[in-house]
């Protein structure tokens, strides 16, 4: 199965930590896990924001476009 690697910054986070996943759902999960461990204030803010908030909808739309455009790892 092909994997893709994205950084915390590519997921709109503050650092260059790289994560590898096979699906967009897996990448979102790894991103949230990273935030909880490394950027807990940001994780708490995200978790307290409703999924239908325009900010969250915009993030999701951008993430999905970025995920689709991202080349698979070599």
């Amino acid at each position: 199965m092909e994997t893709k690697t994205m950084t915390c910054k590519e997921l709109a986070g503050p650092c260059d930590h790289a994560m590898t996943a096979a699906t967009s759902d897996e990448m979102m999960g790894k991103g949230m896990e990273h935030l909880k461990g490394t950027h807990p204030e940001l994780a708490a803010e995200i978790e307290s924001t409703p999924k239908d908030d325009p900010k969250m909808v915009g993030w999701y739309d951008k993430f999905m476009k970025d995920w689709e455009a991202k080349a698979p790892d070599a």
Side-chain angles (χ1 to χ4, degrees), residues 54-69:
K55 181 169 66 173
M56 295 300 283
V57 172
W59 176 89
Y60 181 79
D61 290 346
K62 181 181 182 322
F63 166 74
M64 290 306 294
K65 286 177 187 160
D66 291 349
W67 173 262
E68 290 300 321

Side-chain angles (χ1 to χ4, degrees), residues 20-31:
T20 301
T23 67
S24 59
D25 284 345
E26 183 184 5
M27 183 60 76
M28 284 190 287
K30 286 187 174 192

